[in-house]
Amino acid sequence: MHFLRRSLTGLILLSLTLGLLAYAGYVVSASVQARMERTPGGGARDEREFAVKVILATPQTIAPTLTAYGEVQSRRTLELRAKAAGTVTLLAEDFEEGGQVEAGQLLVRIDPADARSARDRAQSDLMDARAEAREAARALELAEDELSAARDQAALQERALQRQRDLEERGVGTAAAVETAELAAAAARGTVLTRRQAALGAEARVDQAATATSRAEIALAEAERRLAETEIRAEFAGALSEVAVDEGALVSNGEQLGTLIDRNALEVAFRVSTAQFARLLDEGGQLRRAPVTAVLEASGARLTAPGTITRASAAVGEGQTGRQVFARLDAARGLKPGDFVTVEVAEPPLTQVVRLPASALGSDGAVLALGEDGRLEPLAVTLIRRQGDDVLVRAGDASPELAGRRVVMQRTPLLGAGVKVRALGDAAAASGEATDETSEMMDLSEERRARLIAYVEGSRDMPDAVRTRLLDQLAQSRVPASVVARLETRMGG
């Protein structure tokens, strides 16, 4: 009996266990069936189809823009330095940071008392030298007159000596008279020599006076220059910077008082890679005078200045790479030296290229194009340029099949060769409804709208506010294409 009772208890427990397992299986089966009923399309699914945005590849002629970064600087910058030591007695009203001055305007005056005194002494010395020169000229004239008189006297004595000799030969004169005449002639010749020496001395005095006058004139010019150096004037029109002096300050010779910058002679210096620099050369290897645009953006403000490339650096700096290029700016309103700007350089136009979003080009150098059966096909392209968020690819002989094809605008890890996709708007076009692929809004067929509404209503992990907003959008006649693409991606086709 005891064995029978235990056997019956075991059978009862086994029956209960089997019943519980059967009930659990029923509950699971019912839950799966209910879930499958809520899923659009029932339990059987078709091949997964992705909704993608496409762009028509159209070959065209495009002028690329080379983008670089550079610094604005002035071609004419002058350091204002004191050429004389002393006290600053005058400062121009505009001699301040950012002051605008005109060419030739007096900026700073240093106490000129010492320089003026030196100039006056130099003038006095010059007057003395000129007086000495006049006196030497008069002495030379007198010495020349005395020399002329001495020569005349010597000639008379020579004629008297000749007469005495003639008388002696005729027996009329005496030897004593001849000797007296000879002594007188010799004395006259000695007087001529003395007068010649005096004339030479007067000439030397004139030369010395001329030298002294020239030296005095040089000293006066130097004194006037030193007096002029007590005034600092603007060499050209511009703006002042780094002003470091006040009225009454004591400055030393060579001390920097400020910097004068020509506001109308600005240029931008920017560095490009060697490959980019090669694209700026013409057929002769010379740097093209390509147009550039300097752009400064700050806090929503955008300042632009057109310009032209003028030259390139003669050598590559130590530790630098690429090439440094300079471009002269025209009408650079608002730009200042030291601004860090974006430089846009216009390159020669390129023919037979296609502009695509950068996200359309994969790391393998290919894009995905739609085939006739709606499946993706990889197409190898040649990358020509990168232009911000876009790329320029060759559409000529390198990839003739790219022209006219619809290319996926954004590649994702889910997309690849052979994947079936649907371009946004294709389903509506197939049902005969008007659709614009480039529009942000699109029409939906009733079947497609019902599938989307069923998916939104059956999604349990979606917040109520988001579900309500999506249902309101799907109830409209035209639905945002981005909403449709997002929902169909989550649905898996």
Side-chain angles (χ1 to χ4, degrees):
M1 292 297 295
H2 184 68
F3 173 76
L4 183 60
R5 186 172 57 255
R6 288 186 175 181
S7 298
L8 291 175
T9 302
L11 290 174
I12 294 172
L13 293 176
L14 179 61
S15 300
L16 291 175
T17 301
L18 294 177
L20 291 175
L21 290 176
Y23 180 73
Y26 172 77
V27 172
V28 171
S29 177
S31 300
V32 172
Q33 185 67 25
R35 179 67 176 178
M36 293 176 63
E37 291 177 356
R38 290 197 299 269
T39 303
R45 289 190 176 184
D46 298 332
E47 180 181 0
R48 190 172 185 179
E49 186 180 58
F50 296 92
V52 295
K53 292 183 179 181
V54 296
I55 184 173
L56 184 63
T58 305
Q60 53 187 320
T61 300
I62 300 177
T65 300
L66 188 153
T67 302
Y69 302 94
E71 182 180 3
V72 177
Q73 59 189 22
S74 177
R75 301 195 310 272
R76 297 177 65 188
T77 301
L78 177 63
E79 292 184 352
L80 301 177
R81 294 183 177 274
K83 297 181 181 179
T87 304
V88 177
T89 59
L90 174 65
L91 279 181
E93 183 178 355
D94 297 327
F95 195 82
E96 56 187 0
E97 185 70 26
Q100 304 292 324
V101 298
E102 300 298 331
Q105 180 178 347
L106 177 61
L107 303 179
V108 181
R109 176 179 290 158
I110 302 174
D111 188 3
D114 295 340
R116 188 177 292 115
S117 299
R119 190 271 312 272
D120 294 341
R121 288 193 298 269
Q123 286 180 341
S124 299
D125 295 340
L126 178 58
M127 294 173 62
D128 293 340
R130 288 175 176 173
E132 175 65 20
R134 289 192 297 270
E135 183 179 355
R138 290 192 295 267
L140 176 60
E141 184 179 359
L142 181 59
E144 289 178 347
D145 292 341
E146 291 178 350
L147 176 59
S148 179
R151 286 175 175 172
D152 293 341
Q153 185 68 27
L156 291 175
Q157 295 295 335
E158 288 293 338
R159 288 196 295 272
L161 176 59
Q162 187 64 32
R163 284 195 302 271
Q164 292 297 327
R165 288 177 177 173
D166 291 342
L167 293 173
E168 184 183 9
E169 289 177 357
R170 292 197 298 266
V172 178
T174 62
V178 173
E179 183 177 355
T180 301
E182 288 179 350
L183 290 175
R189 288 195 296 270
T191 302
V192 171
L193 291 176
T194 302
R195 295 295 181 263
R196 286 184 61 188
Q197 290 179 354
L200 292 176
E203 290 180 357
R205 183 181 176 185
V206 170
D207 294 339
Q208 292 176 356
T211 303
T213 301
S214 178
R215 188 180 296 110
E217 290 175 349
I218 295 174
L220 177 59
E222 183 177 357
E224 290 178 346
R225 185 176 67 253
R226 290 180 178 177
L227 178 60
E229 289 176 350
T230 59
E231 294 183 353
I232 300 177
R233 297 181 178 273
E235 297 292 336
F236 50 84
L240 294 174
S241 177
E242 301 178 5
V243 175
V245 67
D246 295 321
E247 189 171 355
L250 182 63
V251 297
S252 59
N253 189 8
E255 181 178 349
Q256 183 174 351
L257 309 181
T259 303
L260 180 60
I261 300 174
D262 191 345
R263 58 182 180 270
N264 296 323
L266 297 182
E267 66 179 6
V268 58
F270 58 97
R271 186 170 294 275
V272 297
S273 65
T274 305
Q276 292 173 333
F277 182 77
R279 298 202 296 264
L280 298 179
L281 302 178
D282 57 16
E283 296 179 355
Q286 301 297 321
L287 186 64
R288 293 187 300 105
R289 293 188 173 271
V292 304
T293 302
V295 181
L296 175 62
E297 296 183 358
S299 301
R302 179 182 175 88
L303 301 177
T304 61
T308 306
I309 292 179
T310 57
R311 66 191 189 281
S313 58
V316 180
E318 183 178 357
Q320 301 290 337
T321 59
R323 302 289 186 270
Q324 189 174 27
V325 183
F326 300 88
R328 180 176 301 177
L329 299 180
D330 303 324
R333 297 180 56 185
L335 295 181
K336 302 291 184 181
D339 284 337
F340 189 71
V341 297
T342 302
V343 182
E344 299 175 353
V345 184
E347 297 186 29
L350 300 176
T351 59
Q352 291 297 308
V353 294
V354 176
R355 182 186 293 272
L356 297 175
S359 56
L361 183 63
S363 59
D364 56 352
V367 296
L368 297 177
L370 268 67
E372 296 181 357
D373 55 351
R375 297 186 181 276
L376 296 179
E377 300 177 2
L379 296 179
V381 296
T382 302
L383 177 62
I384 305 300
R385 296 283 193 280
R386 291 189 179 272
Q387 300 287 287
D389 295 334
D390 297 335
V391 293
L392 302 181
V393 296
R394 180 66 66 185
D397 298 336
S399 299
E401 69 277 7
L402 180 62
R405 299 293 297 274
R406 290 184 297 172
V407 179
V408 177
M409 297 178 60
Q410 184 175 6
R411 296 187 58 168
T412 65
L414 299 178
L415 302 179
V419 175
K420 189 175 183 180
V421 297
R422 180 182 67 257
L424 292 180
D426 283 356
S431 61
E433 299 181 6
T435 303
D436 184 3
E437 292 184 2
T438 63
S439 175
E440 296 182 357
M441 306 295 291
M442 62 181 299
D443 296 331
L444 293 178
S445 63
E446 295 300 329
E447 179 183 356
R448 192 175 181 184
R449 189 188 306 272
R451 291 181 59 196
L452 295 175
I453 293 176
Y455 172 74
V456 173
E457 292 177 346
S459 179
R460 301 303 179 187
D461 55 351
M462 185 179 299
D464 294 338
V466 177
R467 182 183 295 106
T468 301
R469 178 173 57 82
L470 291 177
L471 291 175
D472 291 340
Q473 291 177 335
L474 293 174
Q476 302 296 326
S477 58
R478 295 178 64 84
V479 184
S482 58
V483 174
V484 176
R486 185 167 62 252
L487 291 177
E488 289 183 342
T489 301
R490 292 181 179 178
M491 293 168 56

